[in-house]
Structures are given as C-alpha cells and as structure tokens.
Amino acid sequence: MRQVSITVNGAEHVLELEPRELLVYVLRERLGLTGTNVGCDTSSCGACTVLLDGESVKSCTLLGVQVDGHEITTIEGLATNGTMHPVQEAFHEQHGLQCGYCTPGFIMATVSLLDETPNPTEEEIRHALEGNLCRCTGYHNIIRAVQTAAGVEV
Amino acid sequence: MATTITELEVGRVVGAPVERKEDAALLTGQAKFVDDMSLPGMAWMAVVRSPYAHARIADVNVDGALAHRGVIAAFSGEDLADEWLASLPCAWLPTEDTNQPNHRPLAVDEARYVGDGVAVVIAESRGEARDAAELVQVDYDPLPTVIDAERALEDGAPLVHEEFGTNRCYTWNLAAGEVDDEFAKAGVTIKERYHQQRLIPNAIEPRGVIVQPFPATGELTMWSATQIPHIARVTLSMVTGVPEAKLRVVAPEVGGGFGSKLNVYAEEALALVLARRLGRPIKWIEQRSEGYNATIHGRDLIQEIELAATSEGRIRAVRAKLTVNFGAYLQLVTAGTPLFGAWLYSGAYDVAAYDFECTGAFTNTTPTDAYRGAGRPEATYAIERAVDALARKLGKDPLEIRRLNFLREFPSAIVSGLTVDSGDYDAHLDAALEILDHDDIRRQQSERRERGDTKQLGIGFSTYLEMCGFAPSRILGAIRYGAGGWDAATIRFLPTGTVQVLIGTSPHGQSHVTTFSQIVAQQLGIAYEDVEVLHGDTAVAPLGMDTYGSRSLTVGGVAAYHAAERIIEKARKIAAHQLEVGEDELEYENGTFSANGKSLTTKELALQAWTAHNLPEGMEPGLEASFVYDPPNFSWPSGTHIAVVEVDTETGDVDLIRYIAVDDVGTVINPRVVEGQIHGGVAQGIAQALWEEAVYDEDGNLVTGSMVNYLVPSAAELPSYELGATTTPSPTNTLGVKGVGETGTIASTAAVMNAVIDALVPFGVTDLDMPATPERVWRALEEART
Amino acid sequence: MIPAPFDYEVAESVEHAVELLGSREDAKLLAGGHSLLPLLRLRFTRPALLVDIGRIDDLRYVRDAGDTLAIGAMTRHHNVQHNPLVQEHCPVLSYAAGLIGDPQVRHRGTIAGSLAHADPAGDLPAVLTALDAEVVIRGPEGERTVPVGEFVTGVFDTVLGPQDVLMEVRVPKVGAAGWSYLKFTRRAQDWATVGVTAIVRRSNGTVDNSAIAFTNMGPKPVRATAAEQALKTPDDIEAAAAASLEGTDPPSDTQGSAEYRRHLAKVLVQRALREAISR
C-alpha cells in the first residue's frame, strides 16, 4: 500500500492505495465521486475522462499512485454553488445527451478542448473528441453543444 | 439562463422542444447507474468463462479460488444446477417444432461458445474476485466447432446441441399471393444475396447487476442495467423460484441498451441465487471485453432476395429467404429477431405476391438477439439494395422505380398480411431531394466522372417503411410470442396539486420523463414542472412491458394519455357536482372547468377528491386513474434517407460527406427528442455500413475482441446530419404517434451502401459486402478491372 | 479490467530508476503509462514492480542543440506537437505527434514510452527512423547512443536491457526539406493501417536526398531505401513508389490484409512524396 495525496475538485485527500488501483476507481470508490464512468477496458471510449492539472486524461489509464501531488477535476467539480458550468449548460441546451453515460467524459474533454482552442471549427471539434465514444446521440448535438459553449451561434 | 419551459403556455407543451428533465442529474454526475451503487456487506461476483467455443467440461476445480484471500465462495455449473427451475427465458418460439435448448446460467457438461460461463467466484472486492477467478481450474476436452450458419446446416456439421440431431432451430414461413406465377411471367427478375454481418451493440455502459437479499423475509431486490425490469421480474422468478411477489427489480439510470439490455441474462440469475444462498448483497459489473462474448450480438444472417417485376419496373413479387446465425443458445428474442422484418421485405412498395422463409441455425458463437431495429434494418437493406439492382438492370433511375411502386392508398392492406395505417412517401422523398439539391449533386458526380477524379461521388437512397409500436397482443399470440404488447400508466393527482405518472416503459436515454410529462401536463392543464414521471421499479410502477421495439411512446405514451383522459373525466364529474351543473354544461380548457362564471381547476379538484367532503354520490375518493393500452395495430413510420459518399478509388476509403433524413414519425411530442433519436439511430446504421463487423476465427474466437478493433465510430468519422420531417399522423392511436427509436438505424445502412455502389458502378462494381472497408472497396475495383 | 497486483516505486532520477530496475526481476518502467496500462488492464503483462519515471521533471524538455533538437524522454506527445522549436525545426515530428491516439492520450503519452513500446503500428518509431534520430540510453554500464533505426529490433522489442532507461531523443533539424506524414487509419483514434513519412531535400529540380519510412509495414519501422535511391528527380515518384515495398513484411489483421497494405503503401508513398515535394 502507498500513501498519496491527491487534490480532487479543490479538496485534498490523503489515501492509502494499492498500486494497481486505477485512478477512475479511486475517484469512484474511494472518494464516492461516481460521476466519472467506466465504459471499456482498452482506453477507447473516453467515458472516464477527467482533468489532470487542467488537461483531459483518461482516468482508466492512470494509476491513483501516479497522480500523487496533482490536481484532478471531475464532473462533480465543474458546477459552482449550484450553477452549472457553461459547458454543462450548453449540453443541456443543445440536447447533447440521451442516456448520459458518456456525458461526463465528453464534458471534461470539451472543457480541456476549449481551454486549448477557444474558437474551434466543427472539424477541429470532431477531431478533438475522437477519443470519446457515444452510442446514443450520433454526435450531432454534442458538436452543437461544444459550439454553443465556444460562443458560436448554432 | 431563461428557461424555455416556464415560458411555455400551459396547454402548448406537446410539440415543443422543451429541455429535458433528465439532464440535471446526468450533467452533474449525480445520476446513479448500477456501478455507482454500493451496499453494506456487498460481495463481488466474477464469472469464469470458457476459452473454447465448444468443449466438454470434464472437471471444474474451485479449490484454488477458495484458498485466495477475500474469497467467500466459488461454484461450478454443477454445484448450482439444482437452483434453476427453468431455462433462461426465451420469449418467442416461432414454430411448434422450434428446438429450444435448455439454457442454464452456468454450463454443466458442455461449453458451447467462447464466453459461456462455467464457474463463479464471490469475493470481498472486485480485484480479489477477478484474481481468484483465474485460479479456478477447468479441464476442457475441446470438441469440433461450427461458426457459420450455412455450414451449420450442412450434413455432417458438428452439432451444437446433440439432443436435436441438427443445428436447425426452426424454419418459419409466410406466403401470400401467386408468387411462382408472378416470377414465371415477370418481364425482369433479379436475384441478390446479402450478408448482414454480426454486430456488437456496445452501449457505452457495460451490463451490471446488484442483488440485495432480505433473508428474514425471502425478499430480494435486484438493480440491473436492463431495458426490461418487468419482464426480468416475471422470468427470473420462473428461473430461480424466487416468488414474483417477493422479487423487486429496479432499472436504475441505464446507460443505453439498443437491444443488448433487452434480455434476461445468466449473471442476473446467478446474482439472485447467490445472494439468496449467501445472504449478502452480490454485485457483478461486466468488463467491456468480457461483454463482447457475454452480451448478445446483433444481426448475422444471409439474405437471398428475388424480385419479379414488369419490364417497366413495377414490382409484382418478392421472395426472401433468410439463414440466420442464432449462436449457441436462444436468449430472450433470439429466435424471433429476424421475424420482426418478416412482413417488410416488400418495403414501401405495393406488391402482389410475397414469400418469406427464415431458417435459424445454432453455432458455437455468442447468441444473437435484438439490436436496434431487430429484423427491420435487415429487411430494409434487402429491399432497398434490390430495388437499386432492379433499376440498374432496367437502366432506369432508382427514384423512378421507387415512385412507380410506392404504396399510396392508406390504410393499406399489404400482401404480407398487415395493414399500414398512414403515410405519404412521395412527400418525404420530395423533401429529402430538396434538401439534397439532387440536380446539383448529380452534376458534381458527372463532372468528377468525366474528369476521372481519384475521388468519386456516390448518392444512395433508402425509402423505408417500418413497423413498430410493439405490439397488438392478439397478433403476438397468433405468432406464438410468449407475452403481450400492452402497456400501462397510472396517474395520481396529489392533493397539493402535483402529479405522479407511473409508467410501464423503462427509458435508458429516450427522454420518457420529459415527453410523458409533456403529454400529461398538457392533458391535465398543469405546468410541465408539476409532473413527476416514475419508472423502472417494479415496486413503484408494477405494470408494464418495458422498452424496446420503438413502443414506449406509441403504446406507453398513449396509455398515459388515456389515463389522463380518465382523470379529466372524473374531475369533470366532481366539478359538475360542486358547481351544481350538468356535465355537459361545463366548459373545459387547459385544466379549468367553468360554468356560470364559476370555475374549478384540476388542482383544486384533486384536493377536493382527497378530502372527499363533497363528492358525487357513490364516487370513490381520490383523483387517480390507470389505463392499460393494447394497441390495435403496429405503427408504421416511414421516410427517405439519402447518403452522399466520396470514395477514394485508389485507397478504397469511403468518406460520408452528407447524410439527409426526412422521417414521418406521426405526431411529434418533442422535436428535439425525435431528432436526437434519429441522429443516434442513423449513426449506428452508418456504422454497420462502413466500420462495424464482429469477426470470429475458425475456432470460434472473437478476433474483434475489444473496442480497439471493433470499430465504433467517433464524431471524427461522421458528418452533421440534415434532417427534415413530414407528418401523417397515425390513425391507430389517439395521439397519432408512430415511434422513432429505431427508424434511423433501419433506414441508414441501405442508404450508405447504395451510395457506395452508386460511386463504383461506372467501374463495373454492382455489389459489395458490409462493412465497405477500404480493402473491400479496393478489391471490388480490382476484380472489376480484370 | 483490474491489473494483477504489482509493487510500485517512484524513481527520483535516472540513476535511481536504473537501480530500481535492477532490484527486482520483472520490473518495468512506467512513463506516461499509455502503452503499459492497457496491457496491465487486460493482464497481458504482469510485472512484479513498476518503476515510475514519469515524475522526473528533468526529463521533460525540448532544447536547441545546434544541428539537432534534444527532446527529454518524458516529454509528452502534446508538448512535442505544440513546442515551437519542434514546429520550426522538425515539423513532421510535431505533426505526427499530433496524430497519436486522441487528445487525452497525447496529454499523457511520452516520446520515450512510445519508442520503448515499439509497437509496429506506432507512429513515432517510424517517423524518428526517417529523421535519422538517435536515442540516449542510460544503463548500469553507463550511457550510450543508439540510432533509432537500430533501436527497434522487432515487434514490441528494442535494444533496451532490463535495467536501461531511455533518457533523450536527439532529432536532426530538417532545415529546408519538404516533408509529409500520411497516416491511413480506419478511425481517427486508430493506429495506422499503414503510415508513410517522406522527407525530401531538393535543389535545382533534383532530389538531393530523401528519407522514406513506413509505419506498420513490418515488425519494425522500414526505411524504404530502394525508393529513396530511385527518387532522383520529382519525376521519379511513381518509380520510387514501385520500389518502396522492398524490405517490407506487412501484417494481416482486421484493419487490412498484407496484400492490401502493400497496395496502400505504394499509393501513400506517391501521395507523401508529392506533398513533400510541393512544400
């Protein structure tokens, strides 16, 4: 077992972890932050996407012990005082989710995308989301949601 | 942020693109899917699965697992054999002589497909269960395997179930009209053979189940990522012997299904029995690669379709023969899935004679079952590809052939025996062509052909007719389906003025809470926000037939509507009594009854009903009503989809550059929800045409064993879709709705493949198997060259 | 899936990493983890000890070293893609790094991790082979430099010994050369079915020299030396493409058969050369 300190959504947590514990399970089962979902076992689907020091990563492809001393933001950390983040708002407005299982991953990937590329074209958006899979929406409204969050009229 | 909902006038909610109630929890990570749940004392289950497609199970030794740290118990299939009172359920045995294997949740003597469960381990943690499962030692004696359905039906093929002496599950027929006659005198005939490749549904949430036992009472609660909590309850009671009244099944938030969760699985039965046996909550969550073998697959059939037509192109007869790969066992609807398309191999066309035959075969592969469209995408594919082939043979425009043959008089009794309720196929074809700018795209296509561009354009059409709104119970009985097709709603108007709607459908992304709120709010003349829709829990909404086959709105929504009508009827009686007028003297609008300058709202009447101080003589207190609705017919969405592809004739790469969908789904409750369903459905059908294929090797190993090489497309692969809509309300139900959950998938595969072939026809290619991978396209071009 | 259990140590320096690797049999280096973790999760590999070198910030850099760029082993693909020095002096590397996996993978995967993993379908080994890059390795015996073309020895196989740590990648600046990297994939997030790197130096209508390398046309990256030799002028593109298959041994898998890959390779060589020459 190894003791680590991870800051998640602004709160520091000191945890005793088995090295093999994946970050996604640390978040979900150690910290009860079940918003981040597991959709596959080959790093293909992106449902587990969170922010690590502000950058999107797949939390299923990281060990909890690897992020000792780092900052994680999960979907639960986006809204502030009950007010949804603009990206969350945009997904709602544009009907960018149906079953919602892939949605936290898409939202975190979008936050990271817009941080790096504030005015992406449709093609740039589609490519930036190539690591996130959705089976319900056909992506059309997800793209609209990202565009809306970027301030583009859709 | 201004909400569109509060600005909506009460009474104008239906038809408006209101934003969803479902979103708040999902967007913030608060929604509870089954893996989000944890119970005190919970233990983890791991299933040991056969690595062989066919093998005798000589011995199962769980001692190694039992010795592992954290392990509570471990069982072989034989250890648990006495727990099962019935086979895992099969809801549809289409013929009297259908061969139905006994399907135990854990195999005892023989493993029949890679992934077949042979043992189970229960441990204190997820990791320990997985580690210990590796320590179960199973002695297998490998047996010959058969993977392909046509091969399975040949003499001498290895038998999947020796007891039957054959791999044939059944042969089912439907025939009408003088088919042989029509073929004999036809001006032109075409004969085509298509392979509907096997697909893996890949809902992004894997399957999972938690069972909580209450040993003192014998009650059990099961949370399962399922589309069918009610059907699961009934059937699992039969399988495990847990009395139905002591079994509660809850579908929590469910992350997509597409048919893959329209089933009753071994792991659910195992979790129930083990929770009962061990007296502790049991949790099982599927790993994705595990699920590739353990969760049902879609499609996998060979279609032979023949058309007999006049030399003008008027289709007189259709013959369709299917050979279907059922896999090793019959899951819930395995046997019937291809038959959902049985009436539709004539498509949107008026045909005089029809012959349909379907043979199902067992093989040593994962069982197949319903996957979005279930039988209807296959039917649409066959007829829409065949119509294009007919057009090519006659040297005619494929659109001309379609228009020549469209059904036009509605209701239309089609030759296969059912009645299409309403439609206007010219309308959606015209609308789609306008969105496309048909002349312009054909001009571009010609120019590229003349120039000999490397990248050529192809335009493909799919004018589909489908049947859904599953289903009139008497028809289900006539075709030997084991349950009914009704659905139910109960509306409770609470004394403080808010309303609960208990529905029998079980949404997993389809926005039932939103759309049923719209229907009920409008009927009762109350605010959209004042309606709470409860679903998916047999203790809360006990009556229902769940969600699949695009039935929830068409059956469940209509039930809710009629229940709301009954609420108004009762409210009217109370109002008349309290306002001291005859019922016919009352005016009613948007939730308010008025007469002689006095009025009462439905909310006020709900309180009155509850206090019961002044009710009409003999009336029962309370303002609650139920309705169980059995649809008199299927519903018949139709539409025109158009795909434009760009084919790189050097690499074979196909790029879908435009996709147009104009659909007639009858009355639209929420246009946003409808569009979203079409987007998602279309994406899955496109994926079948261009990317997805579940491939087995000769030994029955799934070569495409993970999301790395089974290709579910991302946003980077797909275009934005261009949607239009036409409407011919359904006369079959009061709302006029037809259903939309599967239409996108039903239409799109044919549109895309027709487009690819359209691009390649000048090169001499007129046929292509799916998916149209770059290599397939390249090989087709090479072969045509030589 | 959950990996099988393993021990974990954090390396404070490269020397420390070498030492830790020597402390156990079956120890493996963990960098970004995006090649290793997928193997661990499916239990395709079960190391006894993971040595995390991902924390050594000193290994994350891009430096101008005169004729070459020196790229620290732990530099992530995202940073290789966006680094101004790489963009200016080695644009083909920047471009190729931006095609690896998806954005989340690129935020974590490292240049050394990719190289050491030596997946025949990985982009960087092939691109770096075309660039005549070198790697600096620190082991128990000290430091040594190995050309990338000799570094990869087979499928998932390199010259790295059990205690070796890849420290730096040295990439020659391409100067005025035209370049192209064509990665043919089924989906954007997929590995290359076939990839072609082309770097062409021209003067006065002739080709001074070129480097053409294949991704996923054999167990290791393949330099298409016969094609390079055939390319004497821009008119020799077809001839070069025809000669390019020499030395290749493409796999057959669900993404394509060997036969198709051979055809695709020639098409891509032509297109890559055209693009490189046009820059």
Side-chain angles (χ1 to χ4, degrees), chain B residues 700-786:
Chain B
N701 297 300
L702 190 60
V703 173
T704 50
S706 79
M707 277 185 157
V708 171
N709 53 13
Y710 182 87
L711 307 178
V712 172
S714 76
E717 281 71 62
L718 293 165
S720 289
Y721 316 110
E722 301 163 66
L723 264 49
T726 59
T727 311
T728 58
S730 170
T732 303
N733 61 69
T734 324
L735 289 177
V737 297
K738 294 186 178 180
V740 71
E742 295 162 297
T743 58
T745 307
I746 288 166
S748 49
T749 309
V752 177
M753 289 304 288
N754 276 340
V756 177
I757 290 170
D758 182 60
L760 301 177
V761 159
F763 300 90
V765 176
T766 55
D767 189 23
L768 201 60
D769 274 343
M770 299 191 281
T773 63
E775 178 159 357
R776 279 213 171 91
V777 171
W778 167 68
R779 284 189 187 278
L781 286 168
E782 285 291 292
E783 264 166 50
R785 238 193 285 279
T786 53

Side-chain angles (χ1 to χ4, degrees), chain C residues 222-233:
Chain C
V222 182
R223 271 294 280 270
T225 43
E228 292 168 7
Q229 276 153 21
L231 187 71
K232 296 182 176 56
T233 77

Side-chain angles (χ1 to χ4, degrees), chain B residues 174-190:
Chain B
L174 168 67
E178 306 298 325
V179 176
D180 292 338
D181 212 50
E182 293 292 350
F183 272 90
K185 67 184 193 206
V188 59
T189 63
I190 62 131

Side-chain angles (χ1 to χ4, degrees), chain A residues 29 41 92-93 122 135 139, chain B residues 23 126 289 672 713 720:
Chain A
E29 292 175 358
D41 50 13
H92 177 56
E93 215 182 288
E122 177 169 338
R135 261 320 220 181
Y139 305 106
Chain B
D23 287 357
R126 189 199 300 263
S289 306
R672 209 150 238 183
S720 289

Side-chain angles (χ1 to χ4, degrees), chain A residues 20 25 28-29 34 39 41 75 88-89 92-93 95 98-99 101 122 126 135-140 144, chain B residues 1 19-20 23 27 32 35-36 126 131 201-202 288-289 672 676 679-680 692 713 715 718 720-721:
Chain A
R20 67 166 169 170
Y25 288 119
R28 288 177 54 81
E29 292 175 358
T34 57
D41 50 13
I75 188 76
Q88 288 168 308
E89 273 304 342
H92 177 56
E93 215 182 288
H95 187 35
Q98 292 180 25
C99 82
Y101 194 77
E122 177 169 338
R126 285 182 178 278
R135 261 320 220 181
C136 292
T137 67
Y139 305 106
H140 184 107
R144 304 281 97 73
Chain B
M1 180 212 76
E19 289 173 13
R20 298 199 326 162
D23 287 357
L27 285 168
K32 292 279 170 247
D35 197 15
D36 299 340
R126 189 199 300 263
D131 296 341
N202 274 296
R288 177 64 61 181
S289 306
R672 209 150 238 183
H679 295 160
E692 293 183 36
L718 293 165
S720 289
Y721 316 110

Side-chain angles (χ1 to χ4, degrees), chain B residues 213-488:
Chain B
F214 298 94
T217 60
E219 291 171 316
L220 291 149
T221 301
M222 180 174 94
W223 290 266
S224 182
T226 181
Q227 297 172 225
I228 54 168
H230 298 97
I231 293 174
R233 180 194 195 197
V234 170
T235 54
L236 286 168
S237 169
M238 294 196 263
V239 173
T240 63
V242 175
E244 196 182 335
K246 288 188 187 280
L247 178 57
R248 174 182 175 193
V249 178
V250 184
E253 213 66 64
V254 175
F258 315 110
S260 69
K261 294 170 180 166
L262 158 62
N263 230 302
V264 179
Y265 283 101
E267 294 84 7
E268 291 168 316
L270 281 167
L272 275 171
V273 147
L274 293 169
R276 178 175 64 187
R277 198 150 158 154
L278 300 173
R280 288 179 63 171
I282 303 285
K283 183 171 184 177
W284 172 80
I285 300 294
E286 179 188 81
Q287 303 300 313
R288 177 64 61 181
S289 306
E290 176 188 19
Y292 267 33
N293 289 309
T295 294
I296 59 98
H297 291 169
R299 316 277 189 262
D300 201 349
L301 56 151
I302 300 288
Q303 301 167 301
E304 289 164 300
I305 183 167
E306 298 174 77
L307 302 184
T310 67
S311 42
E312 284 75 48
R314 187 78 186 79
I315 304 168
R316 298 287 305 165
V318 176
R319 257 194 209 125
K321 184 163 173 231
L322 311 189
T323 306
V324 189
N325 191 339
F326 284 165
Y329 287 98
L330 299 181
Q331 287 271 162
L332 194 70
V333 206
T334 303
T337 295
L339 302 184
F340 288 128
W343 294 266
L344 286 171
Y345 279 76
S346 48
Y349 312 113
D350 185 11
V351 150
Y354 190 82
D355 189 307
F356 171 90
E357 182 181 285
C358 174
T359 297
F362 294 113
T363 66
N364 295 114
T365 59
T366 297
T368 56
D369 208 302
Y371 170 61
R372 203 164 193 170
R376 289 149 291 145
E378 297 93 309
T380 302
Y381 185 81
I383 184 64
E384 288 302 289
R385 285 270 329 253
V387 162
D388 267 24
L390 176 64
R392 274 191 297 273
K393 191 155 183 180
L394 292 173
K396 293 196 167 192
D397 183 325
L399 292 179
E400 192 192 318
I401 301 290
R402 286 174 166 84
R403 287 198 204 269
L404 191 57
N405 288 286
F406 275 158
L407 292 165
R408 288 202 168 81
E409 307 275 321
F410 296 95
S412 198
I414 56 176
V415 67
S416 52
L418 297 177
T419 300
V420 182
D421 58 9
S422 66
D424 181 350
Y425 307 157
D426 295 288
H428 48 67
L429 177 52
D430 290 338
L433 288 171
E434 198 177 313
I435 296 174
L436 172 69
D437 192 346
H438 193 207
D439 290 339
D440 182 68
I441 197 78
R442 286 292 183 196
R443 182 188 51 77
Q444 286 184 48
Q445 184 183 50
S446 295
E447 285 172 6
R448 290 196 193 206
R449 283 175 177 170
E450 271 163 61
R451 283 196 305 260
D453 284 7
T454 305
K455 292 192 179 180
Q456 292 288 327
L457 292 177
I459 301 111
F461 301 94
S462 175
T463 50
Y464 75 93
L465 169 65
E466 73 120 337
M467 55 187 257
C468 61
F470 198 76
S473 300
R474 61 177 167 79
I475 294 183
L476 296 182
I479 59 177
R480 298 172 46 89
Y481 184 81
W486 48 267
D487 219 286

Side-chain angles (χ1 to χ4, degrees), chain B residues 14 54-55 175 207 218 280 337 407 412 457 555 565 605 610 709:
Chain B
V14 168
H54 200 190
R207 286 194 295 122
R280 288 179 63 171
T337 295
L407 292 165
S412 198
L457 292 177
V555 186
E565 268 188 332
L605 291 161
W610 183 75
N709 53 13

